[in-house]
Amino acid sequence: MNINVEQQGDISILHCGGSLDADSVNVFKKVAYDLVDKGLVRIVVDCANVTFMDSMGLGVLISLLRRARSRNGDVKMASLTDDVRTIFEITRLHRLFDVCADPQTACRQFTKNK
């Protein structure tokens, strides 16, 4: 998994590529949790280039969401591929996370809810 972090004000966009699975979950966790630990709790996870996600990947996203919300932040998902969207719908995570068409829409959701 590769992750590029982009800051737009106090919103962190994680542009992710590859698989978010048991092999890569620790890389994602380190990057994402470091942001929360620094007080950057408004996070967009851009999944446009995520090719695969397993239960470990889903688990780390849920954990990140709980961490962010416990500090009055939130995590929004953006640009889900068809396969990842299907996983979110089967597991009903699309009801837990705000799922947006793209990172820009997700950022606008944050500013709208400010």
PDB file of all heavy atoms in Angstrom, residues 74-111:
ATOM      1  N   ASP A  74     -13.888  13.287  12.410  1.00  0.00           N
ATOM      2  CA  ASP A  74     -14.639  12.323  11.605  1.00  0.00           C
ATOM      3  C   ASP A  74     -13.744  11.801  10.490  1.00  0.00           C
ATOM      4  O   ASP A  74     -12.702  12.399  10.177  1.00  0.00           O
ATOM      5  CB  ASP A  74     -15.881  12.980  11.008  1.00  0.00           C
ATOM      6  CG  ASP A  74     -16.957  11.977  10.608  1.00  0.00           C
ATOM      7  OD1 ASP A  74     -16.796  10.760  10.884  1.00  0.00           O
ATOM      8  OD2 ASP A  74     -17.967  12.398  10.028  1.00  0.00           O
ATOM      9  N   VAL A  75     -14.161  10.691   9.918  1.00  0.00           N
ATOM     10  CA  VAL A  75     -13.479  10.102   8.769  1.00  0.00           C
ATOM     11  C   VAL A  75     -14.520   9.937   7.672  1.00  0.00           C
ATOM     12  O   VAL A  75     -15.594   9.384   7.907  1.00  0.00           O
ATOM     13  CB  VAL A  75     -12.860   8.722   9.116  1.00  0.00           C
ATOM     14  CG1 VAL A  75     -12.247   8.079   7.881  1.00  0.00           C
ATOM     15  CG2 VAL A  75     -11.826   8.870  10.223  1.00  0.00           C
ATOM     16  N   LYS A  76     -14.191  10.436   6.502  1.00  0.00           N
ATOM     17  CA  LYS A  76     -15.074  10.291   5.349  1.00  0.00           C
ATOM     18  C   LYS A  76     -14.342   9.483   4.286  1.00  0.00           C
ATOM     19  O   LYS A  76     -13.136   9.622   4.105  1.00  0.00           O
ATOM     20  CB  LYS A  76     -15.472  11.658   4.806  1.00  0.00           C
ATOM     21  CG  LYS A  76     -16.229  12.482   5.852  1.00  0.00           C
ATOM     22  CD  LYS A  76     -16.786  13.743   5.297  1.00  0.00           C
ATOM     23  CE  LYS A  76     -17.419  14.614   6.349  1.00  0.00           C
ATOM     24  NZ  LYS A  76     -18.487  14.029   7.119  1.00  0.00           N
ATOM     25  N   MET A  77     -15.084   8.627   3.622  1.00  0.00           N
ATOM     26  CA  MET A  77     -14.532   7.794   2.554  1.00  0.00           C
ATOM     27  C   MET A  77     -14.855   8.452   1.221  1.00  0.00           C
ATOM     28  O   MET A  77     -15.938   9.018   1.043  1.00  0.00           O
ATOM     29  CB  MET A  77     -15.143   6.396   2.606  1.00  0.00           C
ATOM     30  CG  MET A  77     -14.979   5.683   3.947  1.00  0.00           C
ATOM     31  SD  MET A  77     -13.283   5.443   4.463  1.00  0.00           S
ATOM     32  CE  MET A  77     -12.677   4.389   3.156  1.00  0.00           C
ATOM     33  N   ALA A  78     -13.915   8.356   0.278  1.00  0.00           N
ATOM     34  CA  ALA A  78     -14.120   8.991  -1.029  1.00  0.00           C
ATOM     35  C   ALA A  78     -13.641   8.075  -2.146  1.00  0.00           C
ATOM     36  O   ALA A  78     -12.726   7.275  -1.964  1.00  0.00           O
ATOM     37  CB  ALA A  78     -13.372  10.316  -1.092  1.00  0.00           C
ATOM     38  N   SER A  79     -14.281   8.205  -3.281  1.00  0.00           N
ATOM     39  CA  SER A  79     -13.868   7.538  -4.528  1.00  0.00           C
ATOM     40  C   SER A  79     -13.729   6.028  -4.372  1.00  0.00           C
ATOM     41  O   SER A  79     -12.751   5.436  -4.816  1.00  0.00           O
ATOM     42  CB  SER A  79     -12.547   8.126  -5.031  1.00  0.00           C
ATOM     43  OG  SER A  79     -12.634   9.508  -5.200  1.00  0.00           O
ATOM     44  N   LEU A  80     -14.745   5.394  -3.763  1.00  0.00           N
ATOM     45  CA  LEU A  80     -14.672   3.940  -3.613  1.00  0.00           C
ATOM     46  C   LEU A  80     -14.768   3.267  -4.976  1.00  0.00           C
ATOM     47  O   LEU A  80     -15.627   3.611  -5.782  1.00  0.00           O
ATOM     48  CB  LEU A  80     -15.820   3.424  -2.729  1.00  0.00           C
ATOM     49  CG  LEU A  80     -15.907   3.962  -1.308  1.00  0.00           C
ATOM     50  CD1 LEU A  80     -17.025   3.247  -0.552  1.00  0.00           C
ATOM     51  CD2 LEU A  80     -14.596   3.802  -0.568  1.00  0.00           C
ATOM     52  N   THR A  81     -13.870   2.326  -5.212  1.00  0.00           N
ATOM     53  CA  THR A  81     -13.968   1.519  -6.428  1.00  0.00           C
ATOM     54  C   THR A  81     -15.193   0.620  -6.294  1.00  0.00           C
ATOM     55  O   THR A  81     -15.748   0.442  -5.207  1.00  0.00           O
ATOM     56  CB  THR A  81     -12.706   0.657  -6.615  1.00  0.00           C
ATOM     57  OG1 THR A  81     -12.592  -0.222  -5.488  1.00  0.00           O
ATOM     58  CG2 THR A  81     -11.455   1.513  -6.746  1.00  0.00           C
ATOM     59  N   ASP A  82     -15.619   0.019  -7.390  1.00  0.00           N
ATOM     60  CA  ASP A  82     -16.801  -0.852  -7.351  1.00  0.00           C
ATOM     61  C   ASP A  82     -16.635  -1.991  -6.353  1.00  0.00           C
ATOM     62  O   ASP A  82     -17.556  -2.298  -5.597  1.00  0.00           O
ATOM     63  CB  ASP A  82     -17.103  -1.418  -8.744  1.00  0.00           C
ATOM     64  CG  ASP A  82     -17.627  -0.352  -9.698  1.00  0.00           C
ATOM     65  OD1 ASP A  82     -18.092   0.712  -9.223  1.00  0.00           O
ATOM     66  OD2 ASP A  82     -17.571  -0.577 -10.916  1.00  0.00           O
ATOM     67  N   ASP A  83     -15.449  -2.614  -6.332  1.00  0.00           N
ATOM     68  CA  ASP A  83     -15.222  -3.741  -5.420  1.00  0.00           C
ATOM     69  C   ASP A  83     -15.271  -3.289  -3.964  1.00  0.00           C
ATOM     70  O   ASP A  83     -15.876  -3.953  -3.121  1.00  0.00           O
ATOM     71  CB  ASP A  83     -13.878  -4.415  -5.704  1.00  0.00           C
ATOM     72  CG  ASP A  83     -13.872  -5.184  -7.018  1.00  0.00           C
ATOM     73  OD1 ASP A  83     -14.965  -5.489  -7.538  1.00  0.00           O
ATOM     74  OD2 ASP A  83     -12.771  -5.478  -7.520  1.00  0.00           O
ATOM     75  N   VAL A  84     -14.637  -2.175  -3.658  1.00  0.00           N
ATOM     76  CA  VAL A  84     -14.628  -1.676  -2.286  1.00  0.00           C
ATOM     77  C   VAL A  84     -16.025  -1.204  -1.892  1.00  0.00           C
ATOM     78  O   VAL A  84     -16.481  -1.449  -0.772  1.00  0.00           O
ATOM     79  CB  VAL A  84     -13.563  -0.568  -2.101  1.00  0.00           C
ATOM     80  CG1 VAL A  84     -13.662   0.074  -0.730  1.00  0.00           C
ATOM     81  CG2 VAL A  84     -12.166  -1.140  -2.326  1.00  0.00           C
ATOM     82  N   ARG A  85     -16.726  -0.566  -2.798  1.00  0.00           N
ATOM     83  CA  ARG A  85     -18.104  -0.127  -2.520  1.00  0.00           C
ATOM     84  C   ARG A  85     -18.990  -1.330  -2.188  1.00  0.00           C
ATOM     85  O   ARG A  85     -19.786  -1.285  -1.245  1.00  0.00           O
ATOM     86  CB  ARG A  85     -18.693   0.638  -3.702  1.00  0.00           C
ATOM     87  CG  ARG A  85     -20.132   1.119  -3.447  1.00  0.00           C
ATOM     88  CD  ARG A  85     -20.659   1.956  -4.602  1.00  0.00           C
ATOM     89  NE  ARG A  85     -19.875   3.144  -4.825  1.00  0.00           N
ATOM     90  CZ  ARG A  85     -19.945   4.257  -4.092  1.00  0.00           C
ATOM     91  NH1 ARG A  85     -20.769   4.311  -3.081  1.00  0.00           N
ATOM     92  NH2 ARG A  85     -19.204   5.295  -4.377  1.00  0.00           N
ATOM     93  N   THR A  86     -18.816  -2.408  -2.914  1.00  0.00           N
ATOM     94  CA  THR A  86     -19.596  -3.624  -2.655  1.00  0.00           C
ATOM     95  C   THR A  86     -19.321  -4.146  -1.252  1.00  0.00           C
ATOM     96  O   THR A  86     -20.250  -4.519  -0.524  1.00  0.00           O
ATOM     97  CB  THR A  86     -19.280  -4.707  -3.711  1.00  0.00           C
ATOM     98  OG1 THR A  86     -19.657  -4.199  -4.998  1.00  0.00           O
ATOM     99  CG2 THR A  86     -20.024  -5.995  -3.430  1.00  0.00           C
ATOM    100  N   ILE A  87     -18.056  -4.153  -0.850  1.00  0.00           N
ATOM    101  CA  ILE A  87     -17.694  -4.600   0.496  1.00  0.00           C
ATOM    102  C   ILE A  87     -18.348  -3.698   1.545  1.00  0.00           C
ATOM    103  O   ILE A  87     -18.886  -4.177   2.542  1.00  0.00           O
ATOM    104  CB  ILE A  87     -16.154  -4.617   0.678  1.00  0.00           C
ATOM    105  CG1 ILE A  87     -15.548  -5.707  -0.196  1.00  0.00           C
ATOM    106  CG2 ILE A  87     -15.762  -4.807   2.135  1.00  0.00           C
ATOM    107  CD1 ILE A  87     -14.044  -5.613  -0.348  1.00  0.00           C
ATOM    108  N   PHE A  88     -18.332  -2.393   1.317  1.00  0.00           N
ATOM    109  CA  PHE A  88     -18.952  -1.455   2.259  1.00  0.00           C
ATOM    110  C   PHE A  88     -20.454  -1.693   2.346  1.00  0.00           C
ATOM    111  O   PHE A  88     -21.038  -1.600   3.430  1.00  0.00           O
ATOM    112  CB  PHE A  88     -18.658  -0.011   1.851  1.00  0.00           C
ATOM    113  CG  PHE A  88     -17.468   0.573   2.535  1.00  0.00           C
ATOM    114  CD1 PHE A  88     -16.195   0.110   2.267  1.00  0.00           C
ATOM    115  CD2 PHE A  88     -17.611   1.587   3.459  1.00  0.00           C
ATOM    116  CE1 PHE A  88     -15.091   0.635   2.901  1.00  0.00           C
ATOM    117  CE2 PHE A  88     -16.513   2.133   4.105  1.00  0.00           C
ATOM    118  CZ  PHE A  88     -15.247   1.646   3.828  1.00  0.00           C
ATOM    119  N   GLU A  89     -21.087  -1.995   1.221  1.00  0.00           N
ATOM    120  CA  GLU A  89     -22.532  -2.218   1.233  1.00  0.00           C
ATOM    121  C   GLU A  89     -22.886  -3.551   1.889  1.00  0.00           C
ATOM    122  O   GLU A  89     -23.837  -3.615   2.678  1.00  0.00           O
ATOM    123  CB  GLU A  89     -23.090  -2.119  -0.188  1.00  0.00           C
ATOM    124  CG  GLU A  89     -23.049  -0.690  -0.701  1.00  0.00           C
ATOM    125  CD  GLU A  89     -23.410  -0.551  -2.158  1.00  0.00           C
ATOM    126  OE1 GLU A  89     -23.640  -1.575  -2.845  1.00  0.00           O
ATOM    127  OE2 GLU A  89     -23.458   0.602  -2.634  1.00  0.00           O
ATOM    128  N   ILE A  90     -22.128  -4.595   1.603  1.00  0.00           N
ATOM    129  CA  ILE A  90     -22.394  -5.904   2.207  1.00  0.00           C
ATOM    130  C   ILE A  90     -22.255  -5.843   3.725  1.00  0.00           C
ATOM    131  O   ILE A  90     -23.049  -6.422   4.467  1.00  0.00           O
ATOM    132  CB  ILE A  90     -21.463  -6.984   1.616  1.00  0.00           C
ATOM    133  CG1 ILE A  90     -21.874  -7.291   0.172  1.00  0.00           C
ATOM    134  CG2 ILE A  90     -21.470  -8.251   2.450  1.00  0.00           C
ATOM    135  CD1 ILE A  90     -20.883  -8.157  -0.576  1.00  0.00           C
ATOM    136  N   THR A  91     -21.232  -5.142   4.190  1.00  0.00           N
ATOM    137  CA  THR A  91     -20.973  -5.028   5.629  1.00  0.00           C
ATOM    138  C   THR A  91     -21.754  -3.874   6.275  1.00  0.00           C
ATOM    139  O   THR A  91     -21.645  -3.676   7.483  1.00  0.00           O
ATOM    140  CB  THR A  91     -19.466  -4.829   5.900  1.00  0.00           C
ATOM    141  OG1 THR A  91     -19.030  -3.638   5.229  1.00  0.00           O
ATOM    142  CG2 THR A  91     -18.664  -6.027   5.426  1.00  0.00           C
ATOM    143  N   ARG A  92     -22.486  -3.126   5.463  1.00  0.00           N
ATOM    144  CA  ARG A  92     -23.285  -1.982   5.902  1.00  0.00           C
ATOM    145  C   ARG A  92     -22.443  -0.832   6.461  1.00  0.00           C
ATOM    146  O   ARG A  92     -22.955   0.025   7.188  1.00  0.00           O
ATOM    147  CB  ARG A  92     -24.358  -2.403   6.888  1.00  0.00           C
ATOM    148  CG  ARG A  92     -25.352  -3.347   6.265  1.00  0.00           C
ATOM    149  CD  ARG A  92     -26.444  -3.716   7.221  1.00  0.00           C
ATOM    150  NE  ARG A  92     -27.330  -4.668   6.577  1.00  0.00           N
ATOM    151  CZ  ARG A  92     -28.625  -4.481   6.443  1.00  0.00           C
ATOM    152  NH1 ARG A  92     -29.183  -3.394   6.906  1.00  0.00           N
ATOM    153  NH2 ARG A  92     -29.361  -5.395   5.852  1.00  0.00           N
ATOM    154  N   LEU A  93     -21.178  -0.830   6.132  1.00  0.00           N
ATOM    155  CA  LEU A  93     -20.329   0.271   6.598  1.00  0.00           C
ATOM    156  C   LEU A  93     -20.666   1.586   5.907  1.00  0.00           C
ATOM    157  O   LEU A  93     -20.307   2.653   6.411  1.00  0.00           O
ATOM    158  CB  LEU A  93     -18.855  -0.077   6.413  1.00  0.00           C
ATOM    159  CG  LEU A  93     -18.319  -1.118   7.386  1.00  0.00           C
ATOM    160  CD1 LEU A  93     -16.868  -1.426   7.109  1.00  0.00           C
ATOM    161  CD2 LEU A  93     -18.498  -0.661   8.825  1.00  0.00           C
ATOM    162  N   HIS A  94     -21.369   1.520   4.779  1.00  0.00           N
ATOM    163  CA  HIS A  94     -21.794   2.760   4.122  1.00  0.00           C
ATOM    164  C   HIS A  94     -22.792   3.526   4.986  1.00  0.00           C
ATOM    165  O   HIS A  94     -23.051   4.693   4.750  1.00  0.00           O
ATOM    166  CB  HIS A  94     -22.371   2.458   2.735  1.00  0.00           C
ATOM    167  CG  HIS A  94     -23.641   1.681   2.740  1.00  0.00           C
ATOM    168  ND1 HIS A  94     -23.695   0.361   3.133  1.00  0.00           N
ATOM    169  CD2 HIS A  94     -24.903   2.038   2.410  1.00  0.00           C
ATOM    170  CE1 HIS A  94     -24.944  -0.072   3.043  1.00  0.00           C
ATOM    171  NE2 HIS A  94     -25.700   0.929   2.608  1.00  0.00           N
ATOM    172  N   ARG A  95     -23.330   2.866   6.019  1.00  0.00           N
ATOM    173  CA  ARG A  95     -24.221   3.549   6.962  1.00  0.00           C
ATOM    174  C   ARG A  95     -23.447   4.173   8.120  1.00  0.00           C
ATOM    175  O   ARG A  95     -23.933   5.068   8.784  1.00  0.00           O
ATOM    176  CB  ARG A  95     -25.249   2.568   7.513  1.00  0.00           C
ATOM    177  CG  ARG A  95     -26.195   2.065   6.447  1.00  0.00           C
ATOM    178  CD  ARG A  95     -27.208   1.134   7.035  1.00  0.00           C
ATOM    179  NE  ARG A  95     -28.115   0.685   5.997  1.00  0.00           N
ATOM    180  CZ  ARG A  95     -29.219   0.013   6.246  1.00  0.00           C
ATOM    181  NH1 ARG A  95     -29.534  -0.293   7.487  1.00  0.00           N
ATOM    182  NH2 ARG A  95     -29.981  -0.367   5.253  1.00  0.00           N
ATOM    183  N   LEU A  96     -22.253   3.681   8.366  1.00  0.00           N
ATOM    184  CA  LEU A  96     -21.420   4.186   9.454  1.00  0.00           C
ATOM    185  C   LEU A  96     -20.563   5.363   8.992  1.00  0.00           C
ATOM    186  O   LEU A  96     -20.409   6.355   9.695  1.00  0.00           O
ATOM    187  CB  LEU A  96     -20.521   3.062   9.984  1.00  0.00           C
ATOM    188  CG  LEU A  96     -19.593   3.387  11.142  1.00  0.00           C
ATOM    189  CD1 LEU A  96     -20.399   3.793  12.373  1.00  0.00           C
ATOM    190  CD2 LEU A  96     -18.716   2.180  11.463  1.00  0.00           C
ATOM    191  N   PHE A  97     -19.996   5.238   7.804  1.00  0.00           N
ATOM    192  CA  PHE A  97     -19.128   6.268   7.227  1.00  0.00           C
ATOM    193  C   PHE A  97     -19.924   7.128   6.246  1.00  0.00           C
ATOM    194  O   PHE A  97     -20.826   6.641   5.581  1.00  0.00           O
ATOM    195  CB  PHE A  97     -17.987   5.626   6.419  1.00  0.00           C
ATOM    196  CG  PHE A  97     -16.930   4.963   7.238  1.00  0.00           C
ATOM    197  CD1 PHE A  97     -17.046   3.614   7.566  1.00  0.00           C
ATOM    198  CD2 PHE A  97     -15.813   5.649   7.666  1.00  0.00           C
ATOM    199  CE1 PHE A  97     -16.064   2.974   8.303  1.00  0.00           C
ATOM    200  CE2 PHE A  97     -14.824   5.023   8.405  1.00  0.00           C
ATOM    201  CZ  PHE A  97     -14.961   3.682   8.722  1.00  0.00           C
ATOM    202  N   ASP A  98     -19.534   8.398   6.141  1.00  0.00           N
ATOM    203  CA  ASP A  98     -19.999   9.205   5.021  1.00  0.00           C
ATOM    204  C   ASP A  98     -19.179   8.767   3.812  1.00  0.00           C
ATOM    205  O   ASP A  98     -17.941   8.807   3.857  1.00  0.00           O
ATOM    206  CB  ASP A  98     -19.757  10.694   5.267  1.00  0.00           C
ATOM    207  CG  ASP A  98     -20.714  11.293   6.277  1.00  0.00           C
ATOM    208  OD1 ASP A  98     -21.829  10.771   6.416  1.00  0.00           O
ATOM    209  OD2 ASP A  98     -20.330  12.287   6.919  1.00  0.00           O
ATOM    210  N   VAL A  99     -19.852   8.324   2.763  1.00  0.00           N
ATOM    211  CA  VAL A  99     -19.172   7.904   1.539  1.00  0.00           C
ATOM    212  C   VAL A  99     -19.456   8.961   0.481  1.00  0.00           C
ATOM    213  O   VAL A  99     -20.613   9.226   0.148  1.00  0.00           O
ATOM    214  CB  VAL A  99     -19.657   6.511   1.073  1.00  0.00           C
ATOM    215  CG1 VAL A  99     -18.988   6.125  -0.236  1.00  0.00           C
ATOM    216  CG2 VAL A  99     -19.390   5.465   2.151  1.00  0.00           C
ATOM    217  N   CYS A 100     -18.387   9.571  -0.019  1.00  0.00           N
ATOM    218  CA  CYS A 100     -18.507  10.672  -0.972  1.00  0.00           C
ATOM    219  C   CYS A 100     -17.948  10.274  -2.330  1.00  0.00           C
ATOM    220  O   CYS A 100     -17.111   9.385  -2.434  1.00  0.00           O
ATOM    221  CB  CYS A 100     -17.768  11.893  -0.433  1.00  0.00           C
ATOM    222  SG  CYS A 100     -18.379  12.432   1.171  1.00  0.00           S
ATOM    223  N   ALA A 101     -18.406  10.968  -3.350  1.00  0.00           N
ATOM    224  CA  ALA A 101     -17.997  10.656  -4.716  1.00  0.00           C
ATOM    225  C   ALA A 101     -16.507  10.884  -4.938  1.00  0.00           C
ATOM    226  O   ALA A 101     -15.865  10.144  -5.688  1.00  0.00           O
ATOM    227  CB  ALA A 101     -18.803  11.483  -5.713  1.00  0.00           C
ATOM    228  N   ASP A 102     -15.953  11.912  -4.289  1.00  0.00           N
ATOM    229  CA  ASP A 102     -14.545  12.245  -4.486  1.00  0.00           C
ATOM    230  C   ASP A 102     -14.049  13.026  -3.268  1.00  0.00           C
ATOM    231  O   ASP A 102     -14.851  13.460  -2.434  1.00  0.00           O
ATOM    232  CB  ASP A 102     -14.351  13.047  -5.775  1.00  0.00           C
ATOM    233  CG  ASP A 102     -15.262  14.261  -5.847  1.00  0.00           C
ATOM    234  OD1 ASP A 102     -15.220  15.101  -4.920  1.00  0.00           O
ATOM    235  OD2 ASP A 102     -16.041  14.366  -6.817  1.00  0.00           O
ATOM    236  N   PRO A 103     -12.725  13.196  -3.152  1.00  0.00           N
ATOM    237  CA  PRO A 103     -12.179  13.908  -1.988  1.00  0.00           C
ATOM    238  C   PRO A 103     -12.684  15.346  -1.848  1.00  0.00           C
ATOM    239  O   PRO A 103     -12.896  15.821  -0.732  1.00  0.00           O
ATOM    240  CB  PRO A 103     -10.668  13.875  -2.218  1.00  0.00           C
ATOM    241  CG  PRO A 103     -10.440  12.691  -3.086  1.00  0.00           C
ATOM    242  CD  PRO A 103     -11.650  12.617  -3.971  1.00  0.00           C
ATOM    243  N   GLN A 104     -12.908  16.024  -2.954  1.00  0.00           N
ATOM    244  CA  GLN A 104     -13.369  17.406  -2.887  1.00  0.00           C
ATOM    245  C   GLN A 104     -14.764  17.483  -2.261  1.00  0.00           C
ATOM    246  O   GLN A 104     -15.042  18.374  -1.449  1.00  0.00           O
ATOM    247  CB  GLN A 104     -13.376  18.040  -4.293  1.00  0.00           C
ATOM    248  CG  GLN A 104     -12.013  18.188  -4.916  1.00  0.00           C
ATOM    249  CD  GLN A 104     -11.433  16.869  -5.450  1.00  0.00           C
ATOM    250  OE1 GLN A 104     -12.156  15.921  -5.755  1.00  0.00           O
ATOM    251  NE2 GLN A 104     -10.118  16.803  -5.529  1.00  0.00           N
ATOM    252  N   THR A 105     -15.629  16.547  -2.630  1.00  0.00           N
ATOM    253  CA  THR A 105     -16.971  16.502  -2.043  1.00  0.00           C
ATOM    254  C   THR A 105     -16.884  16.212  -0.549  1.00  0.00           C
ATOM    255  O   THR A 105     -17.594  16.817   0.256  1.00  0.00           O
ATOM    256  CB  THR A 105     -17.834  15.432  -2.743  1.00  0.00           C
ATOM    257  OG1 THR A 105     -17.894  15.731  -4.146  1.00  0.00           O
ATOM    258  CG2 THR A 105     -19.235  15.382  -2.171  1.00  0.00           C
ATOM    259  N   ALA A 106     -15.997  15.307  -0.175  1.00  0.00           N
ATOM    260  CA  ALA A 106     -15.815  14.973   1.245  1.00  0.00           C
ATOM    261  C   ALA A 106     -15.339  16.199   2.021  1.00  0.00           C
ATOM    262  O   ALA A 106     -15.833  16.473   3.122  1.00  0.00           O
ATOM    263  CB  ALA A 106     -14.827  13.817   1.391  1.00  0.00           C
ATOM    264  N   CYS A 107     -14.405  16.943   1.460  1.00  0.00           N
ATOM    265  CA  CYS A 107     -13.910  18.163   2.121  1.00  0.00           C
ATOM    266  C   CYS A 107     -15.033  19.178   2.272  1.00  0.00           C
ATOM    267  O   CYS A 107     -15.146  19.833   3.317  1.00  0.00           O
ATOM    268  CB  CYS A 107     -12.747  18.762   1.348  1.00  0.00           C
ATOM    269  SG  CYS A 107     -11.228  17.804   1.449  1.00  0.00           S
ATOM    270  N   ARG A 108     -15.882  19.310   1.258  1.00  0.00           N
ATOM    271  CA  ARG A 108     -17.013  20.235   1.344  1.00  0.00           C
ATOM    272  C   ARG A 108     -17.981  19.806   2.449  1.00  0.00           C
ATOM    273  O   ARG A 108     -18.561  20.646   3.132  1.00  0.00           O
ATOM    274  CB  ARG A 108     -17.736  20.345   0.009  1.00  0.00           C
ATOM    275  CG  ARG A 108     -17.026  21.238  -0.986  1.00  0.00           C
ATOM    276  CD  ARG A 108     -17.901  21.620  -2.163  1.00  0.00           C
ATOM    277  NE  ARG A 108     -18.393  20.499  -2.928  1.00  0.00           N
ATOM    278  CZ  ARG A 108     -17.731  19.910  -3.930  1.00  0.00           C
ATOM    279  NH1 ARG A 108     -16.541  20.364  -4.300  1.00  0.00           N
ATOM    280  NH2 ARG A 108     -18.250  18.892  -4.573  1.00  0.00           N
ATOM    281  N   GLN A 109     -18.141  18.493   2.639  1.00  0.00           N
ATOM    282  CA  GLN A 109     -19.010  17.992   3.714  1.00  0.00           C
ATOM    283  C   GLN A 109     -18.480  18.458   5.072  1.00  0.00           C
ATOM    284  O   GLN A 109     -19.260  18.804   5.956  1.00  0.00           O
ATOM    285  CB  GLN A 109     -19.101  16.467   3.681  1.00  0.00           C
ATOM    286  CG  GLN A 109     -19.888  15.908   2.529  1.00  0.00           C
ATOM    287  CD  GLN A 109     -21.370  16.161   2.652  1.00  0.00           C
ATOM    288  OE1 GLN A 109     -21.888  16.474   3.716  1.00  0.00           O
ATOM    289  NE2 GLN A 109     -22.073  16.054   1.533  1.00  0.00           N
ATOM    290  N   PHE A 110     -17.160  18.411   5.242  1.00  0.00           N
ATOM    291  CA  PHE A 110     -16.573  18.889   6.493  1.00  0.00           C
ATOM    292  C   PHE A 110     -16.861  20.363   6.700  1.00  0.00           C
ATOM    293  O   PHE A 110     -17.237  20.778   7.792  1.00  0.00           O
ATOM    294  CB  PHE A 110     -15.055  18.665   6.509  1.00  0.00           C
ATOM    295  CG  PHE A 110     -14.640  17.306   6.986  1.00  0.00           C
ATOM    296  CD1 PHE A 110     -13.886  16.486   6.174  1.00  0.00           C
ATOM    297  CD2 PHE A 110     -14.975  16.856   8.252  1.00  0.00           C
ATOM    298  CE1 PHE A 110     -13.476  15.233   6.606  1.00  0.00           C
ATOM    299  CE2 PHE A 110     -14.579  15.605   8.695  1.00  0.00           C
ATOM    300  CZ  PHE A 110     -13.819  14.793   7.872  1.00  0.00           C
ATOM    301  N   THR A 111     -16.663  21.173   5.675  1.00  0.00           N
ATOM    302  CA  THR A 111     -16.851  22.604   5.841  1.00  0.00           C
ATOM    303  C   THR A 111     -18.320  22.950   6.014  1.00  0.00           C
ATOM    304  O   THR A 111     -18.659  23.905   6.703  1.00  0.00           O
ATOM    305  CB  THR A 111     -16.238  23.401   4.667  1.00  0.00           C
ATOM    306  OG1 THR A 111     -16.796  22.943   3.443  1.00  0.00           O
ATOM    307  CG2 THR A 111     -14.734  23.222   4.633  1.00  0.00           C
TER     308      THR A 111
END
